Amino acid sequence: MTTDHHPLYSQLPATDRLLRDPAFSSLIARFGHSQLVGVLRKLLDEAREAIRECGALPDWCEDWAAAATDALSLAEKSPLCPVYNLTGTVLHTNLGRALQAEAAVEAVAQAMRSPVTLEYDLDDAGRGHRDRAVAELLCRLTGAEDACIVNNNAAAVLLMLAATAAGQEVVVSRGELVEIGGAFRIPDVMRQAGCLLREVGTTNRTHTQDYLDAINDNTALLMKVHTSNYSIEGFTKAVDETELVNIGNARGIPVMTDLGSGSLVDLSQYGLPKEPMPQALIAAGVSLVSFSGDKLLGGPQAGIIVGKRQLIAKLQQHPLKRALRADKMTLAALDATLRLYLHPEKLAQSLPTLRLLTRTPQTMQAPGERLRHALAGRYDAFSVQLEPCLSQIGSGSLPVDRLPSLALTLTPNDGRGGQLDALAEHWRSLPVPIIGRIYDGRLWLDLRCLEDESGFLENVLK
Ligand SMILES: *Cc1c(COP(=O)(O)O)cnc(C)c1O
């Protein structure tokens, strides 16, 4: 039984003495006095606890400067650290969705370092409006009359509903009452916006007559929601936007679409599955279309709304717009990203999302072989193979479509599952953590999103 009078307590250094020790002066210079004092107090508490519990000093007490350096360096590591996304999901929400194009990165850095003409019109020194420049680009790209930018697509849907239909009814098909990850559910958003949800049709089939029957004097909107993260197959029927616009036009009711991802280019030209395009809906006469900035568009997190001038003006003037507006860094990144679309011939190279989505297994073969060889020498408890696999687009885009890809797989030689978990944990603890997927008794590292082969190898073999 140990007591507070254990002789080891007298061996603990005083904080003041440590701070005067020359070994600590570089730590004070690097981390500052107060952070260092905080860490030393924590280490002293730990040491006292070790004496109380085990009657011994922890090993690190032999070098307090080293222990403090380790603790401070650990605390300095940002919780937003870069990782290798080898999950096979290109737009991975938990890993930050779309990677930004170099042009966008530069534009953001510039907007951070320097004052910018965010709401300032150089011609007449009046107060411009912050979405103006990006809105003009969006009109050019989609054929819309005007546009509005907010924090994300969830915010876009909330704003569209609140500004055009508060206190009134919004008609939506029961097949489109979606839930997107992270608690975005159409009925809940509807309530938050102060609208009355008027569900029509059934889960699998909704007809024109269902919409017609639901319309009354209190109907403000006909809403379509793109079922981006699931698909209803079999005996199904939905009413498309063109038909809804016909119904809406006859009664003076606008049609609005939450497109989710949307794509500003026809993805089928790259051999990818086709995703609905905002410009097609605008051409069909839809009044408001919203989509995300960081899904297939390949830009920053943002909610983009394009549509009719009068309705966009309503959104711009609504008090929620002020609360949901995008900041200058988002607008800078979005502007730079959209400019890449003005040069579509280069898009598959200049836009990282498209570049990664269009990579073929053939282009991954040679780097894959080199990596397999390097890893096989290093991880001899595993069989390292190069195997075909299927990547996903992610972020609820094209949920049932898969892209042929190539993966490094590590299978434990002794067939035990515990080793796999330990291996995955080891990958996650590397200087730049590597995130893969375990299934079918193997760890899969999908090579689709690996563009930095030498950095990866250096990181693994260190
Ligand atoms: C992704 C998605 C949203 C949410 O968009 P965020 O930009 O993540 O806020 C809303 N609706 C649909 C249909 C979506 O696919």
Side-chain angles (χ1 to χ4, degrees):
M1 176 91 193
T2 55
T3 73
D4 277 356
H5 304 295
H6 197 287
L8 283 177
Y9 283 114
S10 62
Q11 288 191 24
L12 292 177
T15 313
D16 286 355
R17 184 177 74 66
L18 288 176
L19 290 171
R20 282 193 304 274
D21 186 326
F24 285 82
S25 56
S26 69
L27 285 183
I28 295 179
R30 183 165 156 210
F31 297 100
H33 186 269
S34 63
Q35 281 203 92
L36 179 55
V37 170
V39 154
L40 289 176
R41 291 211 175 111
K42 246 174 87 186
L43 290 174
L44 281 164
D45 283 347
E46 267 176 44
R48 281 192 205 99
E49 189 173 321
I51 297 173
R52 198 166 51 242
E53 304 271 314
C54 332
L57 283 173
D59 289 344
W60 53 258
C61 285
E62 289 176 14
D63 190 344
W64 282 78
T69 308
D70 286 350
L72 285 163
S73 307
L74 204 65
E76 196 182 41
K77 202 170 170 189
S78 165
L80 272 181
C81 73
V83 300
Y84 284 102
N85 170 14
L86 304 191
T87 60
T89 300
V90 177
L91 296 170
H92 198 300
T93 297
N94 299 355
L95 300 179
R97 288 194 185 161
L99 302 181
Q100 302 302 287
E102 271 319 304
V105 173
E106 279 166 31
V108 172
Q110 193 167 44
M112 291 173 82
R113 290 202 182 97
S114 157
V116 290
T117 50
L118 179 63
E119 296 183 356
Y120 193 92
D121 190 345
L122 286 176
D123 290 341
D124 62 2
R127 198 173 139 90
H129 123 33
R130 67 170 53 206
D131 298 343
R132 184 49 53 216
V134 173
E136 274 166 23
L137 265 174
L138 281 164
C139 292
R140 224 171 125 184
L141 291 165
T142 65
E145 292 174 7
D146 204 354
C148 174
I149 315 300
V150 287
N151 180 57
N152 56 17
N153 188 38
V157 176
L158 180 67
L159 177 61
M160 291 192 296
L161 289 171
T164 64
Q168 290 184 279
E169 292 183 13
V170 180
V171 187
V172 189
S173 159
R174 289 197 170 89
E176 299 172 10
L177 296 176
V178 313
E179 171 181 308
I180 308 291
F184 175 89
R185 309 172 99 190
I186 292 295
D188 297 344
V189 179
M190 205 63 84
R191 221 175 353 263
Q192 287 296 324
C195 305
L196 302 166
L197 169 61
R198 183 69 190 255
E199 303 175 22
V200 296
T202 61
T203 306
N204 57 328
R205 286 172 75 83
T206 302
H207 306 270
T208 303
Q209 194 60 42
D210 294 325
Y211 287 93
L212 291 172
D213 290 347
I215 291 174
N216 60 54
D217 290 346
N218 199 28
T219 305
L221 268 183
L222 305 178
M223 183 184 186
K224 283 285 284 181
V225 185
H226 183 53
T227 57
S228 39
N229 54 3
Y230 63 99
S231 81
I232 298 179
E233 284 176 46
F235 186 53
T236 64
K237 165 126 182 40
V239 180
D240 68 12
E241 271 90 350
T242 308
E243 178 66 18
L244 273 193
V245 167
N246 283 339
I247 301 173
N249 281 350
R251 282 140 223 263
I253 302 170
V255 175
M256 153 184 147
T257 300
D258 168 12
L259 204 47
S261 183
S263 173
L264 288 177
V265 288
D266 178 357
L267 293 178
S268 61
Q269 69 184 295
Y270 303 102
L272 293 168
K274 200 173 161 102
E275 177 82 351
M277 294 161 69
Q279 49 270 55
L281 298 186
I282 293 294
V286 175
S287 295
L288 291 172
V289 182
S290 79
F291 49 104
S292 293
D294 57 354
K295 292 185 179 172
L296 283 170
L297 183 88
Q301 179 189 303
I304 299 168
I305 306 161
V306 292
K308 300 254 158 75
R309 189 170 292 111
Q310 270 185 327
L311 288 175
I312 295 286
K314 267 191 167 176
L315 307 191
Q316 291 288 3
Q317 286 149 19
H318 193 276
L320 264 182
K321 170 65 189 351
R322 178 63 176 77
L324 303 175
R325 73 183 186 185
D327 70 312
K328 64 173 179 174
M329 290 177 279
T330 300
L331 290 168
L334 191 53
D335 178 76
T337 306
L338 290 172
R339 276 173 205 288
L340 300 176
Y341 282 87
L342 299 176
H343 192 163
E345 299 85 351
K346 264 180 38 186
L347 202 60
Q349 270 315 305
S350 58
L351 193 71
T353 298
L354 196 54
R355 190 169 70 228
L356 295 174
L357 288 175
T358 52
R359 285 186 81 192
T360 60
Q362 290 86 310
T363 64
M364 305 172 210
Q365 187 76 35
E369 287 295 350
R370 288 191 291 269
L371 292 172
R372 192 188 73 78
H373 190 72
L375 292 188
R378 183 63 175 248
Y379 293 91
D380 50 14
F382 295 85
S383 153
V384 185
Q385 302 296 335
L386 202 54
E387 295 188 66
C389 68
L390 295 170
S391 313
Q392 307 187 36
I393 295 176
S395 282
S397 306
L398 307 155
V400 287
D401 292 297
R402 295 285 183 277
L403 311 173
S405 188
L406 210 55
L408 284 168
T409 60
L410 289 94
T411 314
N413 290 332
D414 66 2
R416 293 213 326 263
Q419 269 196 312
L420 269 184
D421 291 328
L423 181 68
E425 197 180 314
H426 160 75
W427 291 106
R428 286 198 301 270
S429 70
L430 290 171
V432 181
I434 296 168
I435 321 284
R437 263 190 328 145
I438 294 178
Y439 73 87
D440 203 14
R442 276 164 282 183
L443 178 66
W444 295 74
L445 304 172
D446 188 323
L447 297 175
R448 173 171 302 279
C449 296
L450 182 63
E451 294 192 292
D452 170 24
E453 182 187 340
S454 59
F456 175 84
L457 264 185
E458 199 178 309
N459 181 48
V460 174
L461 303 180
K462 199 172 265 177

